[in-house]
Amino acid sequence: MKKLFAKHNNWFFKAGFILTAVMVGVVLLGQIWTPYDPNAMDASVKAQGPTLRHLLGTDFFGRDILSRILEGAGATLQIAFFVVLIGAVFGTVIGALTGYFGGVVDEVLMRICDAITAFPSVLLALIAIAVIGPGRLNVIMVLGCVFIPSFARIVRAEFVRIKRLNYISLARLQGVGDFRIMLKHILPNTLPTLLPAISIGFNNAVLAEASMSFLGVGVSASEVSLGRMLSDSQNYILRGLPWYAVFVGLTIALLILGFSLLAEGLQQRR
Amino acid sequence: MNKILEVKHVSASYTTQGNAFAREKVQIVLHDVSFDLYEGEALGLVGESGSGKTTVARAILGFLPRYEGEIIHHSKRPQLIFQDPYTSLNPARTVGWILEEPLKVYGKFDAPERRRRIIEMLENVGLSEEYMSRRPSELSGGQRQRVSIAAALIVRPRLVIADEPVSALDVTIQAQILQLLDEMREKYGLSYLFISHDMNVVYQLCDRVIVMKKGVIVEDAPIDDIFDHPQHPYTRELVEASR
Amino acid sequence: MKFVLKKLATLLITLLILSFLAYAAFEMVGDPVGMILGTNATPEAEAALREELGLNRSLPVRYFDWLFHFVKGDMGTSYIYRISVNEMIGEKLGLTVILTLFGFGLTLLMSIPLGVYSARREGSFADRALTVSNQIVMAIPAFFVAILLTVIFGVLLRLFTPGSFVSFNESPGRFFLYMLFPALSVAIPRTAMAAKMLRSSILGEMQKDYVRTAFSRGHNRRSALRAHALKNALLPIVAFLATTAAEMLAGCIVIEQIFSLPGIGRLLIASINNRDIPVVEAIVMILAVWVMVVHFFGEVISEALDPRLRS
């Protein structure tokens, strides 16, 4: 960790790290404690703007928006985490194997990956959800699968590049086996590329989940998520009460911004 | 004397792909290359770029998938020292790890024994124990080449192929490294195949020299003969150029 | 030419495979008959409807029948509304296309001057400020831009009424004004990305030898920049623009919801929720064709402009 800071001592990384840490920290805190019960309705404070008691205002049912945002952000981050986990782990395995061994399997798999990455991920996920139905688990599975090809591509390119380098040839000469080479010799050298990709992955996962839930094809209607809340907030705008939408949108935007800055910072040196 | 390597009538070529603009061409890289390497000998392989000397090395080490002829090894795992010290070491690992890997793979040493050998080898190449925790990016070209040598020798090979090991180094460092290689040869009873384009460098280390041009061996003689009575015109050119 | 044909073949094959996969996937979703007739339907009514809709045939047969019609322009009949899908899609497709083109055009219009300006003033305060703000804007999701625009221009400044779409027929002027905001929402984040890429591409070109020779021959900075570097700098952007055009479509789906635009994005969502399979299939095919065609053109143009191929 300290090494990361030393290597990437630029503004983007610092800003991104702080923003991400703050956002994630707040959301994690929100899992144990929120100012109010996100589902508690209080008729006396219906549809209010930000006040001292309700820092981000209330909705039509008198529910505290800040608490709901915390809960929704928790769901969104949880989904994003598993999506990136699935995408990165499977993508790395596939990319490593195809990049190192090549062959017909490599050609075929890469064509498939190219076809999948040609499509905007939200579109693919949308269609898949249309088939299997909404719900948190479904979203994770679908988005996870949609993310695998892009990770695979990145890791494969690195493996193809690195396996030709002298120090790998030397390792083979010394009798190091293929899998050990892949895992211990090549993989650590792919981190400078993999880490920003993971950060961008979070970026895209949050965006995708929010978009999908917004459209109603993400988490199911009874579950809370930032996207769903954003969709609900549309009604509020029409009646001239914009703060709900702005706050939810701002939360999403800040989450994404944090990851995006972090990714940019990881790609730059200084 | 025992032979440690026999190269018999090795030929290699590659075909460039044809396309709309040119027919496919067959490029001959090696033609009927034969020589033997004896135990304890330092054999120089000299030629300009494109003469095929690196291809010979690749064939010997098993990096060349297609060739004709025979290559017979009488040693177990020949090692290699590369020209470029900057790509020969894994940048993500420490020197200690790099040197430990081949020992781990060999499997017969426990951790303390491995450590002992690493420190011993580092001392051999003139680096202190504290280098174990350094990363390649923290080392100079000369230091890296020393580590490369240590890595090559730590598995106690009997044959070491050195492909232009000093060409990328400063002249002053060159001499140090060459001396180191010589010392190691004596200490561990090694045999070298020393590839270079520079006759001067070869003179300092080798007992015998093979001269190659365009994939063919043009002369094969002991070092002093090469310098005093070069037979082939090309050899004569090289010797003249080095004076 | 061979390259183009090869790419075209790949394109068609991929489309075929995708269409089959999509079709199969949707047909497996569930029985639309139950949805149409409701839970009180008798088995005879269900069987009759199944026969009428041709659902009692096997999958490959249904697929080829559908494909055959699709290629001829007939996209089938909606399960829910019982009118031809073509009718349902017709105008909506036009609207989405207009939105996409509008957004794409805006992106080009805004990003090229920005990229060039940034490159020209490299290192200056303006450039650095732009770079930082670019990075931030790039991360803002299109729908948040949409919300902000709605709030600022719709609610506060009352330049348009959020949620009430003005069709072209009603009033062309107000139509374009209304469309401006969704288009901007899609364009702004992409512009940031494109400007950033353009800037680094231009700067990269300026380093190259041929530009330096131009300098030495007396071209001043501006003309050297414009004449040679810009053309070459645009080359790697082509691939990016192709991806952008494809992504814009996905972005449009969300934007249409926010601005209540009657485009195929909204239709797609509604049809998914209604289980109106023929409509979903048709739209998915259209989107797939769009994405693949855009990528195809992107690759062909890239290849054609590649300086390595200039003899």
Side-chain angles (χ1 to χ4, degrees):
Chain A
M1 192 53 66
K2 253 185 249 167
K3 252 184 280 166
L4 274 180
F5 268 95
K7 253 207 272 183
H8 302 283
N9 194 27
N10 61 71
W11 181 87
F12 289 119
F13 180 75
K14 288 191 270 204
F17 188 81
I18 294 178
L19 182 55
T20 309
V22 165
M23 295 299 289
V24 171
V26 167
V27 171
L28 283 179
L29 178 67
Q31 300 309 297
I32 352 176
W33 175 85
T34 55
Y36 296 84
D37 176 355
N39 294 314
M41 306 190 201
D42 184 353
S44 64
V45 284
K46 267 196 256 205
Q48 277 185 354
T51 61
L52 276 179
R53 282 183 62 204
H54 294 270
L55 287 171
L56 298 185
T58 59
D59 67 1
F60 282 149
F61 300 105
R63 295 179 292 194
D64 178 43
I65 290 182
L66 175 58
S67 307
R68 289 181 68 74
I69 285 186
L70 284 177
E71 192 182 351
T76 300
L77 276 183
Q78 184 195 53
I79 294 178
F81 176 78
F82 284 108
V83 165
V84 171
L85 192 67
I86 294 178
V89 168
F90 286 100
T92 300
V93 170
I94 294 178
L97 289 172
T98 54
Y100 190 81
F101 291 114
V104 174
V105 176
D106 174 34
E107 290 277 340
V108 168
L109 278 180
M110 277 308 120
R111 288 299 152 112
I112 299 179
C113 282
D114 286 343
I116 297 182
T117 47
F119 285 88
S121 48
V122 181
L123 214 55
L124 284 177
L126 206 78
I127 298 172
I129 293 286
V131 174
I132 65 174
R136 196 184 282 202
L137 192 58
N138 288 2
V139 170
I140 290 178
M141 284 196 313
V142 165
L143 275 182
C145 290
V146 167
F147 275 31
I148 290 177
S150 48
F151 277 104
R153 265 243 215 103
I154 294 173
V155 172
R156 176 190 176 275
E158 282 292 276
F159 268 73
V160 164
R161 177 183 72 90
I162 293 178
K163 79 172 178 183
R164 294 192 194 163
L165 292 178
N166 286 345
Y167 61 87
I168 299 295
S169 307
L170 286 176
R172 265 198 242 131
L173 261 186
Q174 287 170 334
V176 185
D178 285 328
F179 284 96
R180 192 183 170 95
I181 287 186
M182 286 199 289
L183 187 60
K184 300 200 150 194
H185 291 241
I186 302 184
L187 194 58
N189 283 294
T190 64
L191 283 182
T193 309
L194 199 50
L195 286 182
I198 290 181
S199 200
I200 293 182
F202 267 99
N203 177 332
N204 293 338
V206 170
L207 184 58
E209 189 278 325
S211 305
M212 285 166 65
S213 298
F214 173 76
L215 294 171
V217 284
V219 299
S220 39
S222 54
E223 292 168 330
V224 144
S225 118
L226 290 176
R228 278 231 147 248
M229 288 170 63
L230 198 63
S231 151
D232 295 335
S233 72
Q234 292 296 92
N235 294 334
Y236 293 64
I237 297 185
L238 296 180
R239 293 176 209 212
L241 308 168
W243 72 85
Y244 190 3
V246 170
F247 288 136
V248 176
L250 194 60
T251 312
I252 300 178
L254 283 177
L255 277 172
I256 295 181
L257 186 62
F259 289 123
S260 167
L261 288 177
L262 197 58
E264 181 65 23
L266 282 171
Q267 284 175 327
Q268 291 185 13
R269 294 288 157 126
R270 267 183 292 113
Chain B
M1 267 217 290
N2 298 327
K3 291 190 201 170
I4 203 162
L5 176 71
E6 295 177 67
V7 176
K8 293 180 187 280
H9 305 290
V10 170
S11 303
S13 61
Y14 69 89
T15 34
T16 45
Q17 263 202 339
N19 52 34
F21 300 110
R23 257 178 313 170
E24 60 171 41
K25 267 196 306 189
V26 176
Q27 196 97 313
I28 297 185
V29 185
L30 295 176
H31 181 69
D32 198 28
V33 170
S34 302
F35 63 90
D36 298 324
L37 186 64
Y38 293 91
E39 209 176 337
E41 180 180 33
L43 176 61
L45 185 53
V46 181
E48 59 197 13
S49 20
S51 55
K53 49 194 204 299
T54 306
T55 316
V56 167
R58 289 175 64 208
I60 293 174
L61 291 168
F63 288 138
L64 196 64
R66 275 181 299 274
Y67 63 89
E68 290 148 33
E70 239 191 307
I71 296 181
I72 304 176
H73 288 272
H74 298 280
S75 67
K76 269 195 269 183
R77 276 219 180 109
Q79 293 298 305
L80 175 62
I81 299 172
F82 273 109
Q83 169 180 5
D84 182 4
Y86 291 93
T87 54
S88 304
L89 303 176
N90 192 328
R93 298 290 191 181
T94 58
V95 167
W97 187 92
I98 294 174
L99 291 177
E100 201 179 357
E101 267 299 279
L103 297 178
K104 276 196 224 156
V105 167
Y106 184 59
K108 301 226 176 98
F109 307 126
D110 58 359
E113 174 64 19
R114 294 198 295 258
R115 191 185 159 82
R116 196 187 65 77
R117 286 183 180 242
I118 293 173
I119 296 177
E120 177 188 3
M121 195 50 74
L122 280 175
E123 270 177 31
N124 278 337
V125 298
L127 297 173
S128 69
E129 185 179 331
E130 59 136 16
Y131 276 85
M132 270 180 79
S133 55
R134 300 256 195 105
R135 283 175 192 264
S137 53
E138 303 167 41
L139 305 177
S140 72
Q143 288 166 334
R144 287 189 206 217
Q145 207 63 320
R146 288 174 194 267
V147 174
S148 299
I149 294 173
L153 298 184
I154 201 161
V155 291
R156 306 277 169 91
R158 290 169 61 208
L159 169 62
V160 175
I161 301 185
D163 190 350
E164 312 259 16
V166 293
S167 307
L169 303 172
D170 291 336
V171 178
T172 36
I173 316 276
Q174 278 186 14
Q176 289 175 16
I177 301 291
L178 288 174
Q179 189 184 6
L180 174 59
L181 286 172
D182 210 16
E183 281 170 19
M184 292 295 102
R185 172 158 73 121
E186 274 213 38
K187 181 161 185 176
Y188 290 107
L190 303 171
S191 317
Y192 285 145
L193 178 60
F194 192 91
I195 302 175
S196 183
H197 62 276
D198 187 344
M199 275 298 221
N200 277 322
V201 165
V202 165
Y203 188 73
Q204 290 180 58
L205 188 63
C206 301
D207 312 313
R208 187 161 65 102
V209 177
I210 290 179
V211 181
M212 281 184 75
K213 182 178 164 101
K214 292 214 172 75
V216 177
I217 296 184
V218 299
E219 194 156 348
D220 177 349
I223 187 77
D224 291 314
D225 289 352
I226 291 272
F227 272 84
D228 296 335
H229 318 288
Q231 304 278 355
H232 194 274
Y234 180 60
T235 319
R236 245 173 267 152
E237 274 179 50
L238 287 174
V239 171
E240 284 304 316
S242 73
R243 287 206 202 283
Chain C
M1 190 35 72
K2 245 194 334 178
F3 175 79
V4 175
L5 289 176
K6 220 173 76 156
K7 281 282 166 199
L8 197 58
T10 316
L11 169 70
L12 287 172
I13 296 178
T14 316
L15 273 178
L16 270 173
I17 298 178
L18 280 173
S19 66
F20 182 71
L21 286 175
Y23 190 85
F26 287 123
E27 295 298 310
M28 286 195 301
V29 167
D31 194 16
V33 170
M35 184 116 197
I36 299 174
L37 292 181
T39 44
N40 294 324
T42 62
E44 296 88 26
E46 285 194 351
L49 184 58
R50 213 176 296 257
E51 171 109 26
E52 189 189 329
L53 292 176
L55 290 175
N56 49 354
R57 298 170 297 171
S58 70
L59 183 65
V61 173
R62 293 198 331 244
Y63 168 68
F64 281 110
D65 185 54
W66 173 79
L67 187 65
F68 192 56
H69 282 106
F70 190 88
V71 174
K72 284 200 298 186
D74 170 13
M75 293 187 269
T77 313
S78 156
Y79 285 166
I80 307 294
Y81 296 104
R82 312 309 234 110
I83 53 178
S84 90
V85 176
N86 293 44
E87 260 183 68
M88 288 183 77
I89 291 188
E91 276 185 353
K92 308 202 164 93
L93 182 59
L95 186 62
T96 304
V97 170
I98 292 179
L99 178 61
T100 309
L101 289 177
F102 203 172
F104 193 71
L106 280 176
T107 304
L108 282 180
L109 205 62
M110 296 193 293
S111 64
I112 294 183
L114 267 177
V116 172
Y117 179 79
S118 244
R120 246 206 265 150
R121 309 274 162 113
E122 184 203 357
S124 72
F125 178 72
D127 172 43
R128 279 181 296 153
L130 270 177
T131 306
V132 170
S133 54
N134 247 9
Q135 198 60 37
I136 295 182
V137 171
M138 241 170 44
I140 299 184
F143 57 76
F144 190 56
V145 178
I147 291 177
L148 286 177
L149 288 177
T150 308
V151 168
I152 298 176
F153 293 100
V155 174
L156 292 177
L157 295 180
R158 295 197 185 270
L159 273 180
F160 71 98
T161 323
S164 56
F165 167 69
V166 183
S167 84
F168 187 74
N169 300 325
E170 282 176 49
S171 156
R174 285 176 51 208
F175 169 71
F176 277 112
L177 180 65
Y178 192 82
M179 292 293 281
L180 179 63
F181 299 102
L184 271 178
S185 308
V186 193
I188 288 179
R190 307 269 184 261
T191 302
M193 239 182 278
K196 175 186 177 192
M197 283 192 73
L198 193 56
R199 174 186 176 277
S200 48
S201 183
I202 291 180
L203 288 177
E205 283 299 309
M206 297 287 274
Q207 303 280 6
K208 293 207 178 145
D209 291 335
Y210 74 91
V211 176
R212 293 201 174 136
T213 358
F215 278 168
S216 69
R217 292 221 191 95
H219 285 81
N220 67 20
R221 204 173 161 83
R222 180 180 289 198
S223 72
L225 183 58
R226 221 175 277 158
H228 303 278
L230 187 58
K231 250 192 313 177
N232 284 340
L234 279 174
L235 176 57
I237 312 294
V238 172
F240 170 71
L241 288 177
T243 320
T244 303
E247 275 173 13
M248 230 164 235
L249 205 58
C252 285
I253 296 183
V254 178
I255 298 298
E256 283 178 17
Q257 288 281 101
I258 298 186
F259 287 95
S260 312
L261 296 175
I264 54 173
R266 276 220 313 184
L267 183 58
L268 178 63
I269 302 297
S271 307
I272 289 178
N273 288 327
N274 290 337
R275 300 293 200 207
D276 197 348
I277 311 281
V279 180
V280 177
E281 282 166 350
I283 297 182
V284 167
M285 264 313 277
I286 293 176
L287 293 178
V289 169
W290 166 259
V291 170
M292 299 260 89
V293 164
V294 164
H295 273 275
F296 171 72
F297 275 112
E299 287 184 55
V300 167
I301 295 179
S302 264
E303 192 70 23
L305 289 179
D306 191 332
R308 284 172 283 188
L309 292 183
R310 291 194 199 127
S311 40

